[in-house]
Amino acid sequence: DLWKSHLHPEDAPRVLRLLDDYLAGRSPIHESEHRIITRSGDIRWHRSIGKAVAWNGAGVAVRMVGTTLDITAKRELEEQLRAAKEAAETTNLAKSDFLAHMSHEIRTPLNAMLGLAQVLEQAPLTPEQREMVQQIRTAGRSLLGLLNDILNLSKIEAGQLHLDPRPFALDPLLERIEIMQGTAARGKGLQLRIQAIATGVGALIGDPLRLEQILVNLISNAIKFTDQGEIVVRVEPLLLTAEQMRLRFTVSDTGIGIAPEILPRLFIPFTQADGSITRRFGGTGLGLSICKRLVELLGGEIGVESQVGAGSRFWFELP
């Protein structure tokens, strides 16, 4: 009763229930965190632990020993950290939402400019003028690609990117990718080979648009960082039942490779291997981060194995 008189009214019922559970043998020890009201009227947080050490003839506990620790400072610190975490998450969400909207607003006039540049390129121009128009289009497409990456990443971080799972056939998707990326590979004197292990299961259910986006991004990277040799894409089932399949996609290249110390942070946004990579190949380091987020949204996992000078092997698994 003396103890109860010091308990905060909002915590008393819970603490007494825990005590009843212990005395009834439903828990091995009495333990609780609760507020008490001091004689001066202050409210303090305490953590109490105790066990019964004496019983009367009827088997009722009459004496307990234990400890009580003032954890007010600890609770205040935890509350401050929780509030700071919520504030940081709110700020990050606002940033992502702003970037998503801003990227969309910039992309609209940029598409109009690219369209006008394409029309202008068909007009009678001197060789110097045609070259300048082509440079405008090339720079515009690069900027559009960057905006698309920022828009995708911002949508993912803001929780605005929604998946569209539906039945689709894998073979036509791979053939389309081979046609699109094969041209870029051959332009560098490389060979692109896509090897899909026959499964005989017909249609799959998933988001084909996002799957294609991941594969195109990984293959484009492989082409960018490979000067000679080949890029090989393998698709093989890891799990196959009547209702479920888990596929492993692997994109291997014979390119420059990645240093071991870079691998752990390779999927962080805006991360490139080093400054020389950015100067030589361009890019922002957003592509792999987007791939990782998309793979995780689809319920899978992604990884990489690489050696400097010996190429890279990116893989991801999807259900």
Side-chain angles (χ1 to χ4, degrees):
D1 290 340
L2 179 63
W3 186 37
K4 182 179 178 181
S5 67
H6 290 287
L7 285 172
H8 192 284
E10 294 180 6
D11 294 345
R14 174 179 56 82
V15 175
L16 295 176
R17 272 199 312 273
L18 292 172
L19 182 59
D20 287 340
D21 287 343
Y22 166 68
L23 294 176
R26 291 188 290 269
S27 58
I29 193 171
H30 171 69
E31 182 175 3
S32 67
E33 290 189 4
H34 51 268
R35 288 165 292 181
I36 66 165
I37 303 174
T38 67
R39 290 179 180 177
S40 61
D42 294 335
I43 297 177
R44 309 290 296 178
W45 277 95
H46 278 209
R47 181 172 184 266
S48 298
I49 302 176
K51 296 188 73 171
V53 295
W55 297 261
N56 63 17
V60 176
V62 294
R63 182 176 176 81
M64 290 183 68
V65 297
T67 62
T68 182
L69 177 67
D70 190 319
I71 59 169
T72 305
K74 173 176 174 291
R75 293 287 299 225
E76 289 175 349
L77 178 59
E78 289 175 348
E79 178 62 25
Q80 290 171 4
L81 292 174
R82 184 194 61 78
K85 180 175 180 291
E86 290 181 355
E89 290 174 346
T90 300
T91 301
N92 191 54
L93 187 62
K95 177 211 69 176
S96 297
D97 192 52
F98 170 78
L99 283 175
H101 284 87
M102 184 58 65
S103 299
H104 180 74
E105 292 300 321
I106 296 174
R107 192 168 58 166
T108 301
L110 181 58
N111 276 319
M113 292 165 58
L114 285 172
L116 291 172
Q118 184 175 7
V119 172
L120 182 59
E121 193 175 359
Q122 308 305 316
L125 300 171
T126 66
E128 292 80 7
Q129 290 172 332
R130 188 172 305 280
E131 182 180 357
M132 285 190 288
V133 172
Q134 290 172 347
Q135 289 176 353
I136 291 173
R137 289 190 62 197
T138 300
R141 284 196 295 267
S142 296
L143 180 56
L144 184 60
L146 172 60
L147 288 171
N148 286 336
D149 283 346
I150 293 175
L151 181 61
N152 281 325
L153 185 61
S154 301
K155 280 186 174 181
I156 294 171
E157 291 184 342
Q160 296 177 0
L161 191 143
H162 304 291
L163 301 178
D164 182 23
R166 60 182 186 271
F168 73 97
L170 183 61
D171 287 344
L173 184 148
L174 295 176
E175 289 172 4
R176 186 165 61 250
I177 292 175
E178 190 167 19
I179 292 171
M180 289 190 300
Q181 297 299 309
T183 302
R186 288 188 295 273
K188 290 189 66 176
L190 305 172
Q191 183 181 7
L192 172 63
R193 293 191 291 121
I194 297 183
Q195 303 172 341
I197 307 301
T199 56
V201 295
L204 303 175
I205 296 178
D207 190 327
L209 177 63
R210 299 307 171 190
L211 173 58
E212 183 173 331
Q213 185 177 355
I214 296 165
L215 284 170
V216 166
N217 212 321
L218 293 179
I219 295 171
S220 296
N221 263 5
I223 294 171
K224 179 194 295 186
F225 296 114
T226 303
D227 290 329
Q228 58 182 359
E230 63 179 1
I231 289 90
V232 179
V233 181
R234 288 178 59 86
V235 186
E236 51 192 334
L238 298 181
L239 170 69
L240 179 59
T241 67
E243 297 180 348
Q244 189 177 12
M245 170 180 283
R246 187 174 183 87
L247 290 176
R248 183 181 180 94
F249 299 82
T250 306
V251 179
S252 304
D253 64 59
T254 55
I256 61 175
I258 305 164
E261 65 271 17
I262 300 299
L263 293 177
R265 55 188 176 92
L266 197 60
F267 294 100
I268 300 174
F270 301 104
T271 297
Q272 293 277 38
D274 56 46
S276 64
I277 294 297
T278 303
R279 289 190 297 271
R280 180 181 172 190
F281 296 98
T284 60
L286 285 175
L288 290 178
S289 176
I290 292 172
C291 286
K292 178 177 173 61
R293 307 293 179 89
L294 289 176
V295 167
E296 290 172 348
L297 279 175
L298 292 167
E301 57 180 324
I302 188 170
V304 58
E305 301 155 8
S306 184
Q307 284 186 309
V308 175
S312 303
R313 179 173 171 270
F314 286 84
W315 59 266
F316 63 96
E317 297 176 7
L318 291 180

